[in-house]
């Protein structure tokens, strides 16, 4: 994941997953105990087809993936000069953030460095699908954008301040920076909070280890810090995503506030 984000012209160089005693047994013909219901729900969640996005089940992930496929096709087949112009116009460098922050913050998240066939992109789609199935599309989009925006600003604002102070050349304001890896790191961090401990720890260890390895390589320290910041942003959303997940598991009447029998 850390090597997926594309950054060029960085000021520091580099290119930037039995009823118990006393309990009444279920009546004949009943649909089973609550425990059995939870087991069936967990089994449905583990079905392979639920790992992939669908238009009805995970609309945000499905259509966002379709957009990434379209932009990847453009990047591969279109004239190189046109592609460079599009990427430059979507770059979240300091100059663009000062002039058109909304445009580039959204536009930079529409391109995948390395193409949609890369292992990173496949993992990103699986993680995004898993989070959307648990908290919904709008909230998943919010987590992604939160990590993307916060990490971008946290890495670009220091560059702008360093240029003003004379510590970096003016060319640092116009470096090429785009990709989805900040948002992907935030989504990974958020999803970990909804997983059981035996899955949460390996996920955070694997993702955090890759990010630290990339940072210690010092090929692109600003982006490396951005990935860690985005992961922490995702972890900071645990109270919210757990409330959202719990709310989605309630019966429809309970979500509307209707009294339960």
């Amino acid at each position: 994941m850390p090597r997926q984000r594309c950054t060029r012209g960085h000021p520091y160089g580099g290119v930037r997953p039995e009823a118990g005693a006393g309990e009444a047994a279920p009546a004949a013909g009943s649909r089973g105990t609550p425990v059995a219901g939870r087991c069936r729900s967990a089994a449905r969640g583990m079905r392979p087809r639920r790992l992939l996005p669908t238009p009805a089940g995970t609309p945000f992930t499905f259509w966002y993936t379709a957009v990434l496929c379209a932009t990847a096709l453009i990047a591969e087949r279109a004239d190189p000069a046109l592609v460079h112009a599009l990427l430059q116009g979507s770059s979240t460098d300091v100059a663009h953030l000062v002039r058109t922050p909304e445009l580039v913050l959204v536009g930079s998240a529409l391109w995948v460095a390395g193409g949609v066939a890369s292992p990173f992109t496949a993992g990103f789609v699986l993680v995004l699908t898993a989070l959307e199935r648990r908290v919904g599309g709008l909230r998943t989009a919010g987590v992604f954008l939160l990590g993307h925006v916060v990490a971008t600003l946290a890495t670009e604002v220091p560059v702008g301040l360093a240029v003003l102070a004379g510590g970096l050349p003016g060319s640092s304001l116009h470096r090429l920076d785009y990709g989805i890896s900040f948002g992907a790191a935030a989504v990974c961090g958020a999803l970990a909070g909804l997983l059981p401990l035996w899955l949460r720890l390996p996920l955070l260890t694997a993702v955090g280890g890759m990010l630290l390895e990339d940072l210690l390589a010092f090929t692109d320290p600003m982006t490396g810090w951005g990935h860690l910041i985005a992961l922490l942003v995702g972890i900071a959303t645990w109270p919210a995503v757990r409330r959202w997940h719990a709310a989605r598991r309630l019966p429809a009447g309970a979500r509307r506030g209707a009294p339960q029998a």
Side-chain angles (χ1 to χ4, degrees), residues 239-250:
V241 296
R242 285 169 174 169
R243 286 197 305 271
W244 298 337
H245 181 49
R248 284 174 63 87
R249 298 179 64 184
L250 290 175

Side-chain angles (χ1 to χ4, degrees), residues 52-69 125 128-129 132:
L52 300 177
T54 61
T58 54
F60 169 68
T61 303
F62 182 86
W63 292 113
Y64 185 37
T65 302
V67 170
L68 293 177
C69 289
V125 171
L128 201 65
T129 300
E132 184 171 358

Side-chain angles (χ1 to χ4, degrees), residues 3-228:
R3 295 179 179 82
Q4 191 275 340
R5 190 173 181 90
C6 181
T7 44
R8 298 172 187 166
H10 192 277
Y12 299 103
V15 180
R16 344 206 233 200
E18 183 172 306
E23 295 181 353
S30 71
R31 300 185 65 85
T33 65
V35 173
R38 288 195 295 270
C39 291
R40 286 194 297 269
S41 177
R44 285 196 299 269
M46 296 174 63
R47 291 174 183 171
R49 64 182 177 84
R50 289 181 60 84
L51 299 177
L52 300 177
T54 61
T58 54
F60 169 68
T61 303
F62 182 86
W63 292 113
Y64 185 37
T65 302
V67 170
L68 293 177
C69 289
T71 56
L73 185 63
I74 292 172
E76 180 181 347
R77 301 294 179 83
D79 181 74
L82 173 62
V83 173
H84 178 76
L86 291 173
L87 294 177
Q88 190 65 58
S90 304
S91 175
T92 50
D93 54 54
V94 177
H96 281 103
L97 286 173
V98 171
R99 295 196 304 266
T100 56
E102 300 89 352
L103 178 63
V104 296
L105 283 170
V106 173
S108 63
L110 302 180
W111 302 91
V112 180
V116 293
S118 67
F120 166 82
T121 307
F124 168 69
V125 171
L126 292 176
V127 169
L128 201 65
T129 300
L131 184 62
E132 184 171 358
R133 289 198 184 277
R134 287 163 172 80
V135 303
L138 289 177
R139 290 161 174 169
T140 299
V143 171
F144 176 88
L145 286 175
L146 181 64
H148 178 69
V149 171
V150 170
T152 296
L153 295 179
T155 53
E156 294 295 344
V157 170
V159 172
L161 294 176
V163 171
L164 288 176
L168 290 174
S171 59
S172 300
L173 301 176
H174 304 278
R175 64 197 183 93
L176 188 62
D177 185 11
Y178 65 91
I180 62 174
S181 58
F182 287 167
V187 170
C188 282
L191 177 63
L194 300 177
L195 298 178
L197 189 63
W198 65 274
L199 285 176
R200 183 187 314 154
L201 291 180
L203 176 62
L204 289 178
T205 300
V207 174
M210 288 190 297
L211 299 184
L212 285 173
E213 180 183 4
D214 191 63
L215 179 62
L216 293 175
F218 212 72
T219 55
D220 190 352
M222 294 298 288
T223 300
W225 280 114
H227 288 130
L228 287 174

